[in-house]
Amino acid sequence: MSLLVVGLSHRSAPVSVLERASLVGDEQAKLVQDTLAAEPATEAAVLATCNRIELYADVDKFHAGVAELSTLLAQHTGVGLDELTPYLYVHYEDRAVHHLFSVACGLDSMVVGEGQILGQIKDALALGQELHTAGRLLNDLFQQALRVGKRAHSETGIDRAGQSLVTFGLEQLAQGAPVAEWARGKRALVIGAGSMSSLAAATLARAGVAELVIANRTLERALRLAESLAEQHAATPAAVSAAGEETLRGSLVARAVPRDRVSAELPHADIVVSCTGATGLVLTAAELRTALAQRAACPPGAHPAAADVSLLDLAMPRDIDAAAHRVEGLHLVDIESLAEAAAEPSGEPGSSAGAMAADVDKVRAIVSEEVAAFGAAQRAAHITPTVVALRTMAADVVASEIARLDGRLPDLDDKQRAEITQTVRRVVDKLLHAPTVRVKQLASTPGGAGYADALRELFDLDPQAVAAVSRADGSARTAGPNDPKGGRA
């Protein structure tokens, strides 16, 4: 295993750099394909979120791999290599495994313990499988990372400290008040209908907003989301009085509009959440000032009398002009301000500092345990092709000797020949059993990779025979449901 990860995140780079380095459109697919085409890499996967870009690869040379992956990140993000390099981090082999497992558990997230990262890891794996850039190593790694993340959330209280970036952002807008109390009865506009925007819309609906407008470039997708939320939050009986009168929980009014209708909806919105894949600004400071002026001119009752309009920008690069921070009547929370809030003790609501520290320690112990287990399994798997090749060679020797015996003793009947053949095979199997079992045990220990080399040398195994077993094993493990042969596209 020669696993290498090169990346940058909110921990290593300022938001201004992360914003410029975002991968948009099909750049993720192009990046992993170009990585696989590069000489040092045999597998590749990219994990790209709103606050991290990480390129994973199986490389045969460390220094060449770091140089190539760094160059590819610079080329595909459009940030010059000289400018990008100071913010890049590099992890290799077990440290790379440890890093991804920590990421999967939410230990490296802007909001510690948030669970949305698991879906993003799943997406990264799915892209690698679709493009056939993820082979045996990265398939094993990312699948195990998903299991480790789920284990951390199920066996510890890390969820008490963690939440989604959406919830954290809304808490910052609420400024200490319960989100449900702050949002109740307000009108919300959500721009975008992707996974983050959908999560924001669902969170606002649960918090009790009176009206929710989904604006998206593809109206059909926005309609599906609005209809689903309206159905989930329809008016239902809350209580029945002694007189038999029924009170109803407030029903949610959910609408969908095309994105070019955003300017018409802005004056009526108390809360605006934006998370799109746009490369430019979705809302400029000038547009927001215009909306505030129109809002002030609205007749009484046209919108709730909220003091400010609350803006939550979860996009990277940003959707909302940073100049909105300086506009009176607007309260903007964006990725940069979320990063600052998360760095403060008060930025980790939902549990006491002591309880959160204990949960984090438990998760770290899980990560360390799982890294050791993954490394042992990978080292053991590394020697399997050599063991298979050895047993294949032994079977060929037995077959050759039985054929020679047939020539020297042609009068043997079938029963005698079968008994002799079985006896020879048992002898060979018994001779090989202890050393092959032991070499697998030794290979699973740190530094055990050399045992495979020793076995090949001692038994003069054909390297091509070992490679053939490896290729067959890799193809079997990377084949998808529609690709029985697997392998690289």
Side-chain angles (χ1 to χ4, degrees):
M1 176 181 67
S2 299
L3 176 65
L4 175 67
V5 56
V6 178
L8 69 160
S9 74
H10 64 99
R11 294 185 181 276
S12 70
V15 172
S16 58
V17 174
L18 280 174
E19 184 177 32
R20 291 169 52 213
S22 296
L23 298 173
V24 297
D26 59 354
E27 279 297 325
Q28 292 185 39
K30 291 179 180 177
L31 175 56
V32 292
Q33 288 172 325
D34 286 354
T35 303
L36 200 63
E39 186 175 334
T42 58
E43 300 182 33
V46 61
L47 177 59
T49 73
C50 60
N51 53 31
R52 78 175 61 248
I53 301 172
E54 295 177 346
L55 186 54
Y56 291 78
D58 185 4
V59 299
D60 56 6
K61 298 175 184 176
F62 172 74
H63 293 291
V66 171
E68 188 65 40
L69 268 59
S70 301
T71 300
L72 286 165
L73 280 171
Q75 289 175 350
H76 285 269
T77 60
V79 180
L81 183 59
D82 289 344
E83 183 181 359
L84 191 65
T85 297
Y87 304 113
L88 295 177
Y89 46 78
V90 175
H91 299 297
Y92 191 55
E93 295 189 331
D94 284 352
R95 289 301 307 169
V97 177
H98 190 281
H99 174 74
L100 181 59
F101 287 4
S102 297
V103 168
C105 293
L107 293 180
D108 199 59
S109 294
M110 187 179 294
V111 182
V112 174
E114 63 94 8
Q116 192 177 3
I117 186 65
L118 288 175
Q120 294 160 335
I121 291 174
K122 186 177 180 181
D123 290 342
L125 174 60
L127 179 63
Q129 290 174 333
E130 177 186 347
L131 299 176
H132 302 292
T133 63
R136 183 178 67 185
L137 174 60
L138 293 185
N139 269 286
D140 287 352
L141 175 69
F142 277 72
Q143 288 171 0
Q144 187 63 21
L146 292 171
R147 287 190 286 268
V148 174
K150 291 174 183 177
R151 180 187 170 192
H153 284 280
S154 65
E155 294 184 13
T156 75
I158 195 70
D159 287 328
R160 292 197 299 263
Q163 63 238 274
S164 74
L165 205 59
V166 169
T167 305
F168 187 52
L170 293 176
E171 286 176 344
Q172 298 306 303
L173 287 177
Q175 297 179 301
V179 171
E181 179 181 313
W182 165 79
R184 187 177 301 120
K186 292 184 177 179
R187 294 182 176 182
L189 169 63
V190 175
I191 306 173
S195 59
M196 187 79 81
S197 298
S198 298
L199 180 59
T203 304
L204 287 166
R206 287 196 302 270
V209 295
E211 183 176 359
L212 183 61
V213 179
I214 312 295
N216 193 53
R217 184 166 10 192
T218 306
L219 182 59
E220 183 181 356
R221 189 169 184 177
L223 280 169
R224 286 199 301 268
L225 178 57
E227 289 171 357
S228 173
L229 292 173
E231 183 178 344
Q232 292 175 35
H233 297 274
T236 55
V240 178
S241 68
E245 296 174 336
E246 194 175 66
T247 61
L248 298 177
R249 291 190 181 95
S251 60
L252 173 69
V253 176
R255 297 187 289 114
V257 298
R259 207 162 87 183
D260 58 13
R261 287 279 302 165
V262 165
S263 59
E265 297 291 341
L266 271 177
H268 309 289
D270 303 301
I271 305 168
V272 179
V273 180
S274 189
C275 186
T276 73
T279 54
L281 292 175
V282 173
L283 295 175
T284 66
E287 289 171 323
L288 290 166
R289 288 192 186 94
T290 299
L292 284 176
Q294 293 173 342
R295 179 182 176 86
C298 285
H303 60 76
D308 291 341
V309 175
S310 299
L311 308 170
L312 178 57
D313 184 0
L314 297 172
M316 186 67 76
R318 71 181 73 234
D319 278 349
I320 301 176
D321 193 341
H325 281 294
R326 300 187 295 274
V327 177
E328 186 177 355
L330 299 179
H331 179 199
L332 171 62
V333 170
D334 53 19
I335 293 294
E336 193 162 14
S337 53
L338 285 175
E340 293 171 358
E344 301 171 358
S346 59
E348 295 164 343
S351 96
S352 69
M356 189 192 73
D359 290 329
V360 168
D361 286 343
K362 291 177 184 177
V363 173
R364 285 175 176 160
I366 289 174
V367 169
S368 296
E369 175 189 329
E370 293 284 356
V371 169
F374 183 82
Q378 290 295 311
R379 287 188 289 270
H382 178 70
I383 203 166
T384 298
T386 302
V387 171
V388 171
L390 174 60
R391 291 192 170 275
T392 300
M393 184 190 75
D396 290 343
V397 170
V398 169
S400 176
E401 288 302 312
I402 294 300
R404 192 174 70 86
L405 183 65
D406 286 342
R408 297 182 63 181
L409 300 174
D411 296 332
L412 287 175
D413 59 32
D414 290 343
K415 183 177 180 180
Q416 292 171 324
R417 185 179 293 104
E419 184 62 33
I420 293 172
T421 300
Q422 188 63 27
T423 298
V424 175
R425 286 176 177 166
R426 280 198 300 267
V427 170
V428 171
D429 286 343
K430 287 182 178 180
L431 287 172
L432 291 181
H433 177 73
T436 53
V437 169
R438 184 62 179 146
V439 79
K440 286 183 178 180
Q441 294 171 340
L442 292 170
S444 67
T445 61
Y451 287 101
D453 297 332
L455 202 62
R456 288 193 294 269
E457 187 69 24
L458 287 171
F459 286 92
D460 194 24
L461 295 176
D462 182 359
Q464 292 185 351
V466 177
V469 175
S470 299
R471 286 194 298 271
D473 181 53
S475 296
R477 299 180 68 170
T478 59
N482 300 316
D483 182 17
K485 293 183 180 180
R488 188 179 305 178

